[in-house]
Amino acid sequence: MYTPRQFALGALAASIMFAGQAGATEITDNEIRIGYLADMSGVYRDPIGPIGMDAIEMAIEDVGGSVAGAEIVVFSADDRNSADVGSSIVREWIDERNVDMVTGLVASSVTLAAVRLLEEENRLGLVNGAVSSGVTNESCSPNHIHWVYDTWAMSNGTAKAITQEGNPNWYLLSADYSFGHALESDVERVVTENGGTIVGRARHPFPSNDFSSFMLQAQASGADVIALNNAGGDTINAITTAGEFGITQAGQILAGMVLFSTDIRSIGLEAAQGLQFTKAWYYDLNDEAREWAERFRERTGSMPTMVHAGLYSSTLHYLQAIDAIGTDEAQAVRRQMMETPINDIFATGGYIREDGRMVHDMYLVEVKSPDEAADEDDLFRIVRTIPAEEAFRPLSESQCHLVNNGA
């Protein structure tokens, strides 16, 4: 049995307690303590937010509610997309609650601040929401793992395909913080490597409700493609504004670099049809993914996003590692996770590299038209599967100090 979940937005939420046997000698405090840190009320609420906790709960239930004879305790908090708030929460979790692992970690600025604390205190971080590829590149550490996606993978799939289709001139519109900057850099790299040119760029405040001036600038640039290097509500607002100005109707292509199924539902198939973008996972990949997604929908009323699936997968892998070795010590658990392939509803043959990047197949998808969709959840078709070894930054190009790349 476990206590009812309570989300206290802007503050620490009540914990969820799962029954287990007491007295696990290699488990600190005889409990496995997990913190779920995410945006519960801002632009990333819908694609990740409060129901991300349900994915974590499902993983805990699927290992039987306890591991290595230890009770599992979960705390949650709203980081309000603030690095200062996020750092304060993680510090309190470590100092006062002796948390073993922190997951969620959505805004890249929050994530980078949090993982520094986790390394200082030898706790583990499972990054599922943040997209910046710097998380496992220049900001890698032996105390965190990046699970779902990153800017290198998202830009490599989408920008490469669109440029190679004969659309060389790009305008880059980016959220003005670390995630947007990283994505802008990665998109520029992919476009230029494939013979394209950046004809203009702008950065918008994060978050932003008014994209009128930015879209007018992008339209006036004459670019073949307008890259939206943002996510969540910012991407929805940008696409909606582009529709109001007739940008795509006039022939310019909108390239969403980080899009979720929740975004497509908000925009609607009529406006979103034909959009191509890269995904790490979606619920119609196979029968196993669909079955898990239906369980999630029965529980929450919503189909899961790729981050929800990542939260489940990473938490499950973490708990199974503890169960296998009988300790929650961060380095021992990380080694066990690295030595064990990931085969679950999220990935087949996934694995964790020395830089902390979890490597798996990615997918270039296209949004269906309203006439093609069988129901409200039938949103995408797979254009191309991007094999794991192509999807993520090669270790030979890594700046991570944990990697021996022959330099």
Side-chain angles (χ1 to χ4, degrees):
M1 297 295 292
Y2 55 90
T3 60
R5 171 162 53 96
Q6 298 175 340
F7 282 103
L9 301 181
L12 291 176
S15 67
I16 298 177
M17 309 288 288
F18 286 83
Q21 301 173 0
T25 57
E26 298 299 324
I27 305 295
T28 53
D29 305 308
N30 295 328
E31 292 179 339
I32 298 160
R33 298 179 180 178
I34 298 171
Y36 173 49
L37 185 66
D39 173 11
M40 305 293 191
S41 55
V43 294
Y44 302 135
R45 173 186 168 85
D46 288 344
I48 304 169
I51 63 173
M53 181 67 109
D54 289 276
I56 295 169
E57 290 176 15
M58 289 171 70
I60 295 170
E61 291 165 7
D62 286 353
V63 296
S66 66
V67 294
E71 193 172 73
I72 303 168
V73 184
V74 185
F75 307 99
S76 70
D78 184 358
D79 61 31
R80 291 182 282 172
N81 287 317
S82 164
D84 289 341
V85 171
S87 294
S88 177
I89 291 166
V90 173
R91 171 55 67 192
E92 195 274 346
W93 277 348
I94 293 171
D95 291 347
E96 304 297 328
R97 299 173 186 255
N98 205 16
V99 160
D100 301 296
M101 184 270 279
V102 176
T103 188
L105 299 168
V106 180
S108 296
S109 55
V110 174
T111 299
L112 294 173
V115 297
R116 283 192 289 270
L117 287 174
L118 295 171
E119 183 177 13
E120 288 173 10
E121 300 295 337
N122 193 33
R123 311 302 166 94
L124 197 60
L126 300 183
V127 181
N128 283 278
V131 196
S132 173
S133 61
V135 169
T136 51
N137 194 36
E138 64 270 17
S139 298
C140 73
S141 86
N143 288 81
H144 69 271
I145 297 167
H146 201 176
W147 208 263
V148 177
Y149 46 27
D150 62 32
T151 52
W152 201 99
M154 302 300 264
S155 60
N156 191 55
T158 308
K160 182 176 180 180
I162 294 175
T163 303
Q164 289 182 345
E165 286 170 3
N167 304 289
N169 298 316
W170 286 64
Y171 187 95
L172 309 180
L173 178 59
S174 310
D176 194 9
Y177 78 109
S178 55
F179 151 61
H181 302 170
L183 192 50
E184 177 183 308
S185 176
D186 281 331
V187 171
E188 181 172 8
R189 172 188 54 78
V190 174
V191 169
T192 55
E193 284 178 355
N194 286 276
T197 302
I198 307 303
V199 299
R201 70 184 76 214
R203 291 176 173 176
H204 66 80
F206 168 75
S208 183
N209 292 320
D210 185 2
F211 280 85
S212 298
S213 63
F214 297 109
M215 280 302 168
L216 287 172
Q217 292 174 47
Q219 187 177 43
S221 73
D224 302 312
V225 187
I226 302 170
L228 303 179
N229 302 317
N230 48 25
D234 285 337
T235 301
I236 293 171
N237 290 335
I239 292 173
T240 301
T241 302
E244 292 170 354
F245 291 158
I247 286 176
T248 55
Q249 293 90 325
Q252 286 177 297
I253 297 169
L254 279 183
M257 291 298 140
V258 181
L259 278 162
F260 298 92
S261 52
T262 49
D263 300 330
I264 301 305
R265 289 192 185 89
S266 295
I267 298 164
L269 291 182
E270 187 65 44
Q273 60 183 306
L275 271 173
Q276 288 191 4
F277 56 97
T278 304
K279 289 181 69 65
W281 177 92
Y282 83 117
Y283 43 76
D284 273 334
L285 273 178
N286 51 49
D287 290 342
E288 187 180 11
R290 186 72 191 202
E291 181 182 355
W292 181 84
E294 292 293 349
R295 282 178 55 204
F296 187 89
R297 177 163 60 177
E298 288 174 9
R299 186 185 191 109
T300 66
S302 301
M303 293 297 277
T305 66
M306 54 187 165
V307 175
H308 296 143
L311 285 165
Y312 171 85
S313 173
S314 58
T315 303
L316 185 70
H317 199 63
Y318 170 75
L319 294 174
Q320 289 172 336
I322 293 174
D323 200 37
I325 61 177
T327 179
D328 59 359
E329 194 278 321
Q331 295 307 310
V333 175
R334 189 178 189 268
R335 284 193 297 271
Q336 178 66 22
M337 293 176 72
M338 290 179 65
E339 292 169 2
T340 308
I342 295 96
N343 292 296
D344 58 20
I345 61 97
F346 182 82
T348 300
Y351 62 93
I352 299 164
R353 300 190 310 202
E354 54 264 49
D355 60 349
R357 175 68 258 171
M358 199 282 266
V359 177
H360 54 87
D361 291 348
M362 298 284 286
Y363 307 92
L364 182 66
V365 303
E366 183 173 278
V367 179
K368 292 183 176 181
S369 70
D371 292 340
E372 293 172 305
D375 56 45
E376 63 181 5
D377 294 320
D378 186 21
L379 303 177
F380 315 114
R381 72 169 60 82
I382 292 180
V383 176
R384 184 167 80 91
T385 297
I386 305 168
E389 295 304 321
E390 293 180 22
F392 295 94
R393 185 197 313 273
L395 286 177
S396 60
E397 298 177 10
S398 176
Q399 299 175 38
C400 172
H401 66 279
L402 302 172
V403 175
N404 180 8
N405 58 15

